[in-house]
């Protein structure tokens, strides 16, 4: 009897071993097809479903990363669920245990042993890992104009969280930051398509490249495809109207660059563009994304966005119809995420013949392919042997450096900054962000809306604690109640310097919707009160978008835009104001002067036309009216002089390159970093052309007195062409203006061509 039983077991296990999809030596394509051929319709639908952590944890509350094995086994065994997401900040051991147990259930309880893929919003470092390193948010990284920082942010995220089983990072946000009122502005790389493409694709490289000693690879997710970021009202998830030409020219490049970098997945835009919710838009999700751009990765919906076709967009009467619209449009996986209604509806649609099994196969193929490519079938379990990599000094230094280089000095009257130790003995520190850790990191930190203050690690400084450490000789007085103006007036008199820390509290998505971009009235009046004292006043803005400060600007001697610099933000700020670090950040957006007029730097000439005959056509005049500070603006403690802009040729044909050179000199007496930004203007176009477009950048370090010659090879198709409304690139003859620093030069191109995309 015993003999027979073991023989039977042997034959089952050898049959399983023979399954091609289990053979790690076999080509992935064959493994996918083999597995697909073994799956039932229900199993396929399960792979297309992603559920939230609250469906499988013990309490049903986001922050509890503790598995309810019974719930998980039921969902895996009976509903074949292939993916889960989310959580909040807990320590690495808790994450390891959670993913280990969940994966064990997936491998052992699913009929075919298919591993789960776990998705998580690690947006600026491992946001939901208590012991992880937190970088500045993307808008800050953009202010560095140096892709190394977005690479480092991704690289550190993976080094700290991949071993724990965080397979699928829901970043980078590749939406263009064109509307400063939008609550997700800080998640973007700002308003330049070129900058977003460069930083976004470096982030993808940092996430997806194989890492030493790491058995699995990690997938990045470009979001939110496409055209999410410029809602008419500025409110999140509200309608967007964008012409096809604008989509191609401004919103697509960052996604295209991520695709070229091999990004493995995309998440869909939750809102509607041009009247169609993108989750139901076949033209965008299939014609553009698959047919035209050739994307072969996984497309996941955003949070319950199939449901929102019924309850929010009203393009579907019921969930089954909504499921049809989204699957037919081209989604692969539904982040359902709190019920099984997607599974039920999709099964019904297959039974009714409205969705074919063939259509399911297309999506399941992509999902399985992703799981095989990451190595999850061969190495499904997390690794608890390398915890010492988490929160290392090296990673924290990288986050600090990124934060330092992301701060933008916008005003520095009479060179009040950097502060000298001896001059300021009594410093008054005041404002809503003076003693806050959470305000420095913003949303997507510890928790979705930003964790409570007590959940931040002890080593994280607030501006107050960092100032005390930086200026040990000074008496730093923290004004506890920044709204008490009488008290403040008295305190101001006793101080020889005032530092105000103003801005915003953390928010994420629609929770951060505002009706007015002006800095809130109570903060404006704080600034005015502080400004009315004779005492010098340095103001620091901490927040996710440029709040309008025109009314209070004269009350400050210096103004530093700190954005959301992350866990090391306070130290970065004190390093800059004390002069330990020379500021080098530049605005990655046009800082608006008024709350009702937003004009990006790459606007059309007619955007700044106004009805004053003497000033019409004077672009600069119009820009000055609407901007507090232009894109690319940022002061340093030294001066950089640009000279000798030269071109290898001033007339070229469409198939010849052109080399431009410029000399940049640090004429001051401190070393500094300068991002050399090259802009091009196409003088005349058959489709109206922006007044300037960033086409190249070189972040360089220059010692005091040092000069460097920098060059830029201009390639007509890449730098001078632009898409028409079908995405076809146009290269038109005519003259172009090349601008760098305060220098500019003109050149011509002849022989017009229409190239194939
Ligand atoms: C956001 C996404 C995020 C997802 C999962 C959504 O509400 O729009 O950016 O990845 O939630 O948390």
């Amino acid at each position: 009897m015993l003999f027979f039983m073991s023989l039977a077991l042997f034959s089952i296990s050898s049959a399983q071993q023979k399954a091609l999809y289990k053979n790690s030596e076999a080509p992935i394509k064959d493994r996918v097809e083999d597995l697909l051929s073994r799956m039932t319709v229900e199993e396929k639908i399960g792979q297309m479903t992603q559920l939230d952590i609250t469906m499988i944890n013990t309490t049903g509350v986001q922050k509890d990363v503790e598995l309810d094995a019974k719930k998980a086994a039921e969902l895996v065994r009976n509903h074949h669920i292939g993916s889960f997401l989310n959580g909040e900040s807990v320590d690495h051991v808790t994450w390891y245990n959670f993913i280990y147990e969940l994966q064990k259930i997936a491998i052992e309880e699913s009929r075919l042993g298919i591993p789960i893929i776990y998705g998580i919003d690690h947006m600026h470092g491992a946001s939901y890992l208590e012991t992880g390193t937190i970088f500045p948010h993307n808008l800050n990284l953009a202010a560095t104009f140096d892709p190394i920082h977005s690479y480092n942010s991704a690289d550190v995220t993976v080094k700290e969280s991949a071993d724990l089983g965080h397979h699928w990072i829901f970043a980078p946000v590749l939406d263009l930051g064109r509307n400063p009122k939008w609550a997700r502005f800080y998640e973007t790389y700002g308003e330049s398509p070129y900058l977003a493409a460069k930083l976004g694709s470096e982030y993808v490289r940092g996430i997806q490249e194989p890492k030493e000693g790491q058995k699995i690879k990690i997938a990045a997710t470009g979001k939110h495809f496409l055209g999410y970021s410029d809602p008419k009202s500025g409110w999140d998830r509200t309608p967007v109207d964008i012409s096809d030409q604008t989509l191609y020219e401004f919103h697509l490049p960052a996604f295209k660059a991520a695709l070229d970098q091999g990004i493995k997945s995309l998440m869909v835009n939750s809102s509607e563009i041009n009247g169609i919710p993108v989750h139901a838009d076949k033209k965008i999700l299939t014609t553009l994304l698959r047919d035209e751009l050739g994307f072969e990765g996984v497309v996941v919906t955003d949070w319950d966005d199939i449901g929102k076709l019924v309850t929010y967009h009203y393009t579907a009467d019921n969930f089954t119809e909504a499921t049809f619209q989204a699957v037919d449009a081209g989604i692969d996986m539904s982040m359902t995420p709190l019920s099984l209604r997607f599974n039920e509806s999709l099964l019904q649609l297959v039974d009714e013949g409205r969705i074919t099994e063939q259509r399911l196969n297309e999506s399941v193929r992509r999902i399985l392919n992703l799981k095989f490519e990451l190595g999850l079938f061969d190495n499904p379990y997390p690794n608890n042997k390398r915890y010492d990599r988490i929160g290392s000094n090296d990673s924290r230094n990288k986050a600090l450096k990124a934060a330092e280089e992301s701060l933008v000095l916008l005003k520095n009257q009479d060179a009040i900054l950097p502060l000298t130790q001896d001059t300021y003995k009594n410093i008054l520190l005041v404002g809503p962000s003076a003693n806050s850790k959470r305000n420095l990191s913003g949303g997507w930190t510890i928790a979705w809306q930003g964790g409570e203050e007590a959940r931040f690690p002890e080593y994280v400084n607030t501006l107050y604690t960092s100032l005390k450490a930086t200026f040990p000789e000074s008496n730093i007085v923290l004004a506890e109640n920044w709204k008490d103006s009488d008290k403040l007036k008295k305190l101001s008199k006793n101080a020889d310097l005032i530092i105000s820390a103003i801005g915003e509290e953390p928010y994420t998505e629609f929770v951060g919707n505002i009706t007015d971009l002006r800095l809130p009235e109570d903060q404006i009046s704080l600034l005015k009160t502080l400004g009315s004292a004779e005492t010098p006043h340095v103001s620091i803005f901490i927040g996710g978008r440029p709040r309008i400060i025109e009314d209070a600007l004269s009350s400050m001697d210096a103004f530093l835009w700190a954005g959301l610099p992350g866990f090391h933000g306070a130290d970065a700020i004190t390093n800059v104001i004390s002069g330990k670090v020379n500021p080098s950040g530049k605005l990655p957006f046009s800082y608006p002067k008024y709350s009702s007029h937003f004009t990006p730097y790459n606007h059309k000439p007619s955007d700044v036309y106004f009805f004053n005959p003497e000033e019409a056509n004077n672009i600069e005049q119009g820009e000055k009216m609407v901007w507090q500070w232009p894109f690319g603006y940022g002061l340093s403690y030294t001066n950089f002089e640009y000279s000798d802009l030269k071109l290898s040729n001033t007339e070229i044909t469409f198939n010849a390159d052109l080399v431009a050179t410029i000399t940049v000199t640090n004429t001051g007496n401190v070393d500094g970093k300068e991002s050399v930004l090259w802009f091009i203007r196409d003088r005349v176009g058959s489709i109206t052309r922006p007044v300037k477009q960033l086409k190249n950048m070189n972040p360089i370090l220059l010692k005091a007195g040092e000069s460097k010659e920098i060059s830029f090879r201009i390639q007509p198709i890449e730098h001078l062409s632009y898409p028409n409304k079908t995405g076809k690139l146009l290269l038109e003859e005519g003259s172009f203006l090349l601008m760098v620093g305060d220098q500019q030069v003109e050149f011509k191109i002849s022989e017009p061509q229409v190239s194939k995309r």
Side-chain angles (χ1 to χ4, degrees), residues 614-674:
E614 275 163 34
E615 285 167 332
N617 291 330
N618 185 342
I619 290 170
E620 234 174 273
Q621 191 69 23
E623 290 176 341
K624 273 199 185 125
M625 252 182 94
V626 296
W627 295 337
Q628 197 77 64
W629 295 283
F631 175 90
Y633 186 78
L635 301 168
S636 161
Y637 297 151
T638 187
N639 289 312
F640 297 102
E641 223 175 78
Y642 287 68
S643 58
D644 281 337
L645 175 58
K646 286 193 214 105
L647 290 178
S648 59
N649 210 335
T650 50
E651 284 193 25
I652 51 165
T653 53
F654 77 98
N655 52 357
D657 291 357
L658 182 66
V659 178
T661 50
I662 183 92
T663 301
V664 187
T665 308
N666 179 347
T667 57
N669 45 23
V670 280
D671 301 349
K673 183 169 182 181
E674 168 76 344

Side-chain angles (χ1 to χ4, degrees), residues 85 121 170 184 223-224 237 267 302-303 335 509:
L85 84 151
D121 290 304
F170 290 154
R184 306 194 74 167
K223 55 193 201 181
H224 306 79
R237 288 173 161 83
M267 192 183 289
D302 203 337
W303 183 270
M335 189 191 289
E509 302 180 44

Side-chain angles (χ1 to χ4, degrees), residues 139-150:
L139 194 60
N140 280 68
L141 298 185
T144 70
F145 285 87
D146 190 343
I148 185 68
H149 298 302
S150 89

Side-chain angles (χ1 to χ4, degrees), residues 50 52 85-86 120-121 123 128 170-171 173 184 187 223-224 228 236-237 267-268 270 301-303 305 308 335 444 448 508-510:
Q50 183 176 59
D52 187 51
L85 84 151
N86 246 331
I120 195 151
D121 290 304
M123 308 285 269
Y128 292 159
F170 290 154
V173 168
R184 306 194 74 167
E187 297 180 49
K223 55 193 201 181
H224 306 79
Y228 179 32
D236 187 35
R237 288 173 161 83
M267 192 183 289
V268 181
S270 282
T301 73
D302 203 337
W303 183 270
D305 268 303
K308 290 197 196 102
M335 189 191 289
W444 301 115
W448 180 48
T508 301
E509 302 180 44
F510 48 88

Side-chain angles (χ1 to χ4, degrees), residues 90 106 188 209 269 282 308 369 388 455 475 483 507 593 611 614:
V90 290
T188 75
E209 71 183 0
N269 167 5
K282 199 170 190 164
K308 290 197 196 102
N369 186 62
D388 57 341
R455 290 174 76 184
N475 175 30
K483 293 189 181 176
Y507 52 82
K593 203 182 265 186
F611 290 92
E614 275 163 34

Side-chain angles (χ1 to χ4, degrees), residues 467-485:
L467 271 174
K468 284 205 293 187
T470 311
F471 298 100
E473 307 293 314
S474 304
N475 175 30
I476 316 275
V477 176
L478 175 68
E480 295 288 352
N481 183 358
W482 60 270
K483 293 189 181 176
D484 183 346
S485 59

Side-chain angles (χ1 to χ4, degrees), residues 49-69:
T49 306
Q50 183 176 59
L51 297 182
D52 187 51
I53 188 170
T54 52
M55 300 279 286
I56 49 169
N57 66 2
T58 46
T59 58
V61 176
Q62 272 292 332
K63 69 176 166 44
D64 294 318
V65 182
E66 195 186 333
L67 194 72
D68 182 326

Side-chain angles (χ1 to χ4, degrees), residues 542-611:
I542 293 161
R545 51 199 153 188
R547 303 299 293 258
I548 309 295
I549 48 143
E550 160 75 355
D551 288 357
L553 195 57
S554 61
S555 72
M556 315 159 181
D557 299 284
F559 184 59
L560 182 73
W561 179 86
L564 296 172
F567 276 11
H568 302 275
D571 300 332
I573 293 170
T574 51
N575 285 348
V576 162
I577 64 180
S578 68
K580 187 174 165 203
V581 167
N582 186 358
S584 59
K586 295 183 174 194
L587 287 177
F589 52 84
S590 312
Y591 203 119
K593 203 182 265 186
Y594 305 107
S595 59
S596 52
H597 203 106
F598 312 139
T599 305
Y601 88 95
N602 46 9
H603 63 82
K604 301 293 177 70
S606 60
D607 262 320
V608 288
Y609 177 82
F610 52 96
F611 290 92

